[in-house]
């Protein structure tokens, strides 16, 4: 059973598809996508590559991996204690603006893990020495360096030591070594950039968010970036000349002033990765997701988001990929019966994903709800 489509939700959803670059994938470079959105949640590495690629014209997974190796985009922990990709030019000012609150908010967890400031400082010394000279080390190698320095990495200690060093601007992810991710010194990985004053950084973050995610509310911005109400107010006032707002269903929505109207005539069917900004980029997801289906895309509210099928702006089902020998199998589980035209559109989107991976696609008959 589906909910009646409300006109204002439909309008918001289509505008977000356009402004996020999903319905008009015209970006030429992965760095342009990441800079436009401000940041992309990136704990699911392969899914995030697709999140970038689906917003580009003719992208391939290999091409985006090359962009990472060329150090145009950086994977680190800038906000909400969660991995994101950010543009290389943005990584330092975003860390300076957003990471301190994440660090302050993790004090209780650090105490549980018996991690104090002295231990964090020692771990950074170990990492700096291990990575000097432009080295890139895998996670296991980084943790081995800590253990050799008699710093325990048991439980979640290793993860928190790595994340803290990244939040402090010492390390970031490097290139992959085979299938393993590596870490590098941030100063070795990307050149120094001009720092932004706090109010300037808040203005830039606000401008990026509402350009790449609008229409959205101030509450959405606060949740996405982890800002306080006071910080969001400063950012909005400083960026206000570049933004417009309108009241829809008694809520105030903001977006960039100079965005073209791209809603009419758009393609409407998409296979989005599980942590895509179209779903994760908002505190209130009701414009694109029926609350009755929330558990279907994040079972048990455990923070693990399943890839979504989006039709006409609304999350209409889930999908999964399975790699077989020289092929990828795409299985779709809709929340409602699909029309032949919708199934045909899903087939086309699956083929597009296969082209991105440079693999043939096997698409079984769509499952019934």
């Amino acid at each position: 059973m589906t909910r009646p489509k409300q006109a204002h939700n439909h309008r918001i959803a289509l505008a977000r598809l356009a402004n996020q670059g999903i319905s008009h994938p015209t970006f030429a470079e992965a760095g342009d996508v990441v800079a436009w959105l401000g940041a992309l949640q990136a704990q699911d590495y392969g899914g995030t590559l697709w999140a970038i690629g689906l917003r580009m014209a003719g992208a391939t997974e290999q091409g985006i991996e090359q962009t990472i190796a060329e150090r145009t985009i950086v994977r680190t922990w800038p906000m909400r204690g969660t991995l994101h990709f950010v543009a290389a030019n943005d990584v330092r000012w975003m860390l300076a603006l957003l990471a301190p609150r994440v660090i302050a908010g993790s004090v209780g967890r650090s105490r549980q893990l018996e991690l104090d400031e002295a231990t964090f400082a020692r771990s950074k010394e170990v990492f700096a020495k291990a990575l000097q000279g432009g080295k890139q080390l895998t996670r296991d190698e980084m943790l081995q360096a800590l253990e050799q320095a008699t710093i325990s990495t048991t439980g979640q200690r290793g993860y928190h030591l790595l994340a803290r060093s990244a939040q402090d601007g010492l390390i970031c992810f490097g290139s992959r070594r085979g299938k393993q991710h590596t870490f590098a010194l941030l100063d070795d990985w990307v050149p120094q950039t001009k720092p932004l004053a706090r109010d300037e950084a808040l203005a830039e973050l606000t401008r990026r968010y509402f350009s790449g995610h609008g229409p959205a509310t101030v509450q959405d911005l606060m949740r996405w970036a982890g800002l306080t109400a006071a910080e969001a107010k400063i950012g909005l006032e400083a960026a206000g000349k570049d933004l417009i707002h309108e009241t829809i269903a008694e809520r105030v929505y903001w977006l960039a002033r100079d965005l073209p109207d791209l809603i009419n005539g758009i393609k409407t069917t998409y296979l989005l990765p599980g942590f895509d900004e179209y779903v994760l980029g908002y505190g209130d997801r009701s414009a694109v997701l029926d609350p009755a289906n929330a558990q279907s895309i994040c079972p048990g509210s455990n923070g693990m988001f399943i890839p979504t099928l989006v039709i006409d702006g609304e999350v209409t089902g889930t999908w999964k990929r399975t790699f077989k020998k020289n092929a990828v199998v795409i299985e779709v589980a809709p929340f409602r019966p699909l029309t032949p035209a919708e199934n045909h559109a899903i087939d086309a989107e699956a083929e597009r994903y296969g082209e991105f991976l440079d693999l043939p696609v096997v698409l079984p008959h769509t499952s019934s709800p």
Side-chain angles (χ1 to χ4, degrees):
M1 188 171 181
T2 59
R3 61 174 176 173
K5 186 169 289 186
Q6 297 176 312
H8 67 273
N9 280 344
H10 189 224
R11 179 184 170 199
I12 291 169
L14 294 186
R16 288 177 181 174
L17 285 174
N19 296 335
Q20 284 213 13
I22 297 172
S23 60
H24 293 75
T26 57
F27 289 104
E29 303 291 341
D32 296 334
V33 175
V34 176
W36 175 252
L37 289 170
L40 281 83
Q41 198 159 327
Q43 63 267 60
D44 175 5
Y45 182 79
T48 309
L49 298 184
W50 174 230
I52 297 170
L54 66 88
R55 291 168 167 87
M56 297 172 61
T60 64
E61 186 177 62
Q62 183 178 5
I64 296 174
E65 291 255 41
Q66 183 61 33
T67 298
I68 297 168
E70 292 170 354
R71 312 181 185 192
T72 303
I73 59 177
V74 180
R75 190 170 179 240
T76 187
W77 284 271
M79 63 177 75
R80 304 198 313 273
T82 302
L83 280 169
H84 286 75
F85 271 115
V86 297
N89 288 337
D90 298 329
V91 62
R92 287 187 175 84
W93 68 259
M94 282 194 178
L95 285 170
L97 176 66
L98 301 172
R101 177 165 289 108
V102 177
I103 293 170
S106 64
V107 167
R109 180 59 178 150
S110 295
R111 189 179 300 115
Q112 291 175 349
L113 295 171
E114 299 181 349
L115 293 172
D116 55 20
E117 287 303 311
T119 306
F120 285 124
R122 284 183 58 218
S123 69
K124 286 190 287 185
E125 291 174 358
V126 171
F127 291 151
K129 182 178 180 180
L131 293 170
Q132 65 184 354
K135 292 180 183 176
Q136 297 179 53
L137 299 178
T138 66
R139 176 191 172 105
D140 285 347
E141 291 168 341
M142 295 284 277
L143 298 186
Q144 286 170 11
L146 291 176
E147 291 286 353
Q148 290 170 2
T150 68
I151 300 174
S152 172
T153 62
T154 58
Q156 289 291 308
R157 284 172 58 96
Y159 172 86
H160 283 268
L161 291 167
L162 288 167
R164 175 61 182 270
S165 287
Q167 290 159 350
D168 285 340
L170 177 70
I171 65 173
C172 64
F173 279 88
S175 301
R176 283 207 291 180
R177 186 194 301 169
K179 293 185 177 181
Q180 295 191 71
H181 298 282
T182 68
F183 291 89
L185 292 175
L186 181 62
D187 285 348
D188 287 345
W189 196 247
V190 295
Q192 288 287 340
T193 51
K194 180 182 176 182
L196 298 182
R198 185 169 182 77
D199 287 6
E200 186 180 3
L202 286 168
E204 184 62 23
L205 189 72
T206 301
R207 190 180 299 111
R208 297 278 189 94
Y209 178 75
F210 287 122
S211 296
H213 293 77
T217 67
V218 173
Q219 290 72 28
D220 290 327
L221 167 65
M222 291 167 57
R223 183 263 168 201
W224 178 77
L227 300 181
T228 65
E231 289 171 330
K233 182 179 179 182
I234 292 170
L236 196 59
E237 289 176 349
K241 64 182 177 59
D242 298 318
L243 305 173
I244 58 173
H245 69 275
E246 58 180 315
T247 301
I248 305 173
E250 301 182 349
R251 290 186 179 181
V252 178
Y253 289 83
W254 294 82
L255 66 162
R257 181 179 298 278
D258 56 356
L259 289 175
D261 184 0
L262 300 174
I263 291 178
N264 294 322
I266 67 172
K267 182 171 71 73
T268 61
T269 302
Y270 309 94
L271 296 174
L272 302 185
F275 293 89
D276 195 86
E277 288 293 307
Y278 186 69
V279 176
L280 268 289
Y282 308 88
D284 178 10
R285 301 172 185 135
S286 60
V288 304
L289 174 66
D290 186 339
N293 294 324
Q295 289 292 316
S296 296
I297 71 165
C298 186
S301 301
N302 62 1
M304 299 304 295
F305 285 78
I306 296 173
T308 55
L309 166 67
V310 173
I311 298 177
D312 202 21
E314 181 158 16
V315 175
T316 310
T318 62
W319 64 283
K320 66 177 181 179
R321 68 178 189 178
T322 305
F323 288 105
K324 303 293 186 181
K325 186 176 181 180
N326 300 322
V328 58
V329 179
I330 304 295
E331 298 176 86
V332 178
F335 299 149
R336 59 165 176 79
L338 301 177
T339 67
E342 288 170 338
N343 278 315
H344 180 74
I346 291 170
D347 289 351
E349 192 68 0
E351 290 297 330
R352 180 186 172 209
Y353 182 55
E355 291 172 1
F356 173 76
L357 298 175
D358 193 24
L359 287 173
V361 171
V362 177
L363 188 65
H365 289 297
T366 302
S367 304
S368 299

